[in-house]
Amino acid sequence: MTAKTVLVSGASIAGPSAAYWLRRHGYRVTVVEAAPALRPGGQAVDFRGEQVKLLKAMGILDDVRRLETAMGDQTVLGLDARPQLTVPGAAWSGEVEILRGDLARILYEHTKDYTEYVFGDRVTSLTETAGGVDVTFRHGAPRTFDLVVGADGVHSGVRTAAFGPEQDFRRDLGFGIAGFTAPNHLGLDHASVMYNEPGRGLTVGSHRLPGRLHVSLVFAADGVEFRRRTPDEQRALVAQLFADTGWETPRLLQALPGADDLYVDSISQIHLDRWSKGRVVLLGDAAWCAGPGGSGTGLAMMGAQVLAGELAAAGGDHGTAFAKYEERLRKPATVGQKNGKGSGNFLAPRTAAKIRSRNRAYRMLSTRLFGKVFTWMTDRAANAVEYREYPELTSA
């Protein structure tokens, strides 16, 4: 029996994870990625509980631990740029933490030998027929696949082609986020520092590579237009938004012209009534983007395992499989969105009073009682989907 073919759009985390599990259940997978190569850097992502079981089952846990950040404590500065409190690193970094770009590279290396990767191209249209989905691309020749998985993030082209315009499903939370790497002039070693002014927040840290400083910026984004900006325009936007910010900000911004890993976007969520339409299904941020703090990476990887497993359990009946997949993931995704909804207000409070209030909340995290409560909350999100093994098939 000829294996069914699946097109996966997106080669960050969810896409290669789907490629891994679909292959284990007998599918032939093509991954198309708009970027010309894997994207480096990015935010650190952490894993806990059931998600660590998933990494082990995929055979990548040792690789992840080899590249983990091993991040230590975070120093929170006051409005006067003086240290106010210290938050233990374990509160944020889970059982294991890794940069998003490093994780993407690991997943690619573990799947490239049996997955067709096409970089520098994207889906432009989808037409479902009785026997599959006819797909057109910006550059490549048209092709037909049995199934299509949209794992291409909050600005998913597959979602637009199959479900409609992005604005119908995206809810902006009023904040933006940016990140880049800079020289580690602060001499941080497996440690991070957070500084805030009203409506702006900076978190800088250094871990596995001591000469590099990872800079994360969160800002109130009223009236800011994010889409269709060139890299130079993005640099100019970040420089403008943080031009009069104190502490070490001016020195950090000096690295912007040479930062080839800069990313800038709104903090947004995606809400859809259904994640599938015919032979097309959405995965990860394309389906349920929660924003920072929503356990999005781990849930996307869990979702990939569930999606492939349900296809196998249903004998390739995609209608049944997609419904079961959504049944298992819908509630955890809702929990993640609830956790992520207040991330902007937490990371970049809009007033000095709210910054002081947030810092008081931070201080409570350092106590035994509230530390346990916070750990319970983060573990609950990470363990919202139980890792289950599905019977493997030699063909789909």
Side-chain angles (χ1 to χ4, degrees):
M1 181 178 180
T2 302
K4 287 187 176 180
T5 57
V6 182
L7 173 68
V8 177
S9 179
S12 179
I13 306 299
S17 296
Y20 173 85
W21 289 107
L22 287 165
R23 163 52 161 60
R24 281 183 57 161
H25 292 296
Y27 287 79
R28 290 192 291 115
V29 183
T30 297
V31 176
V32 61
E33 166 59 46
L38 293 175
R39 294 183 173 96
Q43 294 290 313
V45 295
D46 65 272
F47 297 90
R48 308 162 189 258
E50 295 296 312
Q51 297 172 355
V52 176
K53 293 181 183 179
L54 179 76
L55 299 181
K56 186 175 181 179
M58 296 177 72
I60 65 172
L61 181 57
D62 288 344
D63 288 337
V64 171
R65 290 200 183 281
R66 179 172 53 85
L67 297 178
E68 68 177 323
T69 64
M71 183 59 78
D73 295 345
Q74 180 180 89
T75 299
V76 180
L77 306 180
L79 290 164
D80 58 1
R82 296 180 179 179
Q84 294 290 305
L85 62 132
T86 300
V87 180
W92 306 112
S93 54
E95 293 180 47
V96 61
E97 183 184 66
I98 185 173
L99 289 180
R100 189 178 185 88
D102 289 339
L103 178 59
R105 172 63 62 180
I106 289 171
L107 290 168
Y108 171 75
E109 293 294 337
H110 278 258
T111 57
K112 65 182 177 63
D113 290 341
Y114 52 77
T115 302
E116 178 190 10
Y117 279 91
V118 179
F119 288 94
D121 208 349
R122 67 178 65 210
V123 172
T124 54
S125 72
L126 302 169
T127 303
E128 184 165 344
T129 66
V133 183
D134 295 336
V135 184
T136 63
F137 301 91
R138 175 170 292 182
H139 302 297
R143 296 172 63 176
T144 299
F145 297 87
D146 293 298
L147 303 172
V148 173
V149 178
D152 43 355
V154 64
H155 305 300
S156 170
V158 166
R159 188 185 61 237
T160 295
F163 293 82
E166 180 178 308
Q167 60 264 29
D168 291 349
F169 313 109
R170 193 188 78 227
R171 299 182 188 175
D172 297 334
L173 301 183
F175 291 84
I177 188 168
F180 61 96
T181 55
N184 184 10
H185 73 278
L186 296 174
L188 295 178
D189 181 11
H190 292 83
S192 64
V193 178
M194 170 180 270
Y195 172 73
N196 282 95
E197 293 182 10
R200 287 170 286 190
L202 296 89
T203 301
V204 298
S206 185
H207 35 79
R208 193 169 53 84
L209 300 176
R212 295 173 64 184
L213 202 60
H214 294 271
V215 183
S216 178
L217 311 172
V218 177
F219 49 91
D222 306 315
V224 176
E225 173 59 47
F226 290 92
R227 299 306 304 276
R228 297 186 176 88
R229 288 183 180 268
T230 67
D232 284 342
E233 289 172 338
Q234 289 181 331
R235 294 183 182 96
L237 173 65
V238 172
Q240 175 187 351
L241 289 169
F242 285 82
D244 59 348
T245 308
W247 187 54
E248 296 287 337
T249 308
R251 179 115 181 235
L252 293 169
L253 293 180
Q254 290 176 10
L256 268 177
D260 59 2
D261 57 352
L262 173 68
Y263 65 90
V264 183
D265 208 344
S266 63
I267 296 180
S268 305
Q269 294 186 338
I270 296 295
H271 293 265
L272 293 101
D273 294 332
R274 291 188 61 187
W275 297 338
S276 64
K277 187 175 183 181
R279 294 174 176 268
V280 179
V281 64
L282 303 176
L283 172 66
D285 283 353
W288 63 74
C289 181
S295 195
T297 300
L299 187 59
M301 294 179 70
M302 279 289 194
Q305 191 259 350
V306 172
L307 175 60
E310 292 296 346
L311 279 167
D317 178 349
H318 60 273
T320 298
F322 292 168
K324 291 288 187 180
Y325 151 74
E326 184 164 343
E327 182 181 317
R328 283 198 64 193
L329 271 293
R330 175 64 74 167
K331 185 176 180 179
T334 301
V335 170
Q337 289 179 329
K338 183 178 180 180
N339 288 350
K341 189 173 182 179
S343 59
N345 284 314
F346 189 80
L347 295 170
R350 290 177 179 267
T351 67
K354 289 182 178 180
I355 292 173
R356 287 190 287 266
S357 177
R358 192 280 314 277
N359 287 352
R360 287 194 292 270
Y362 254 140
R363 187 172 284 109
M364 288 191 294
L365 290 180
S366 301
T367 67
R368 179 175 297 181
L369 175 60
F370 285 95
K372 287 182 177 179
V373 172
F374 179 78
T375 300
W376 174 80
M377 291 176 61
T378 53
D379 287 352
R380 181 183 67 163
N383 295 323
V385 181
E386 178 186 359
Y387 173 73
R388 303 177 191 170
E389 292 186 359
Y390 288 86
E392 293 186 20
L393 304 177
T394 57
S395 62

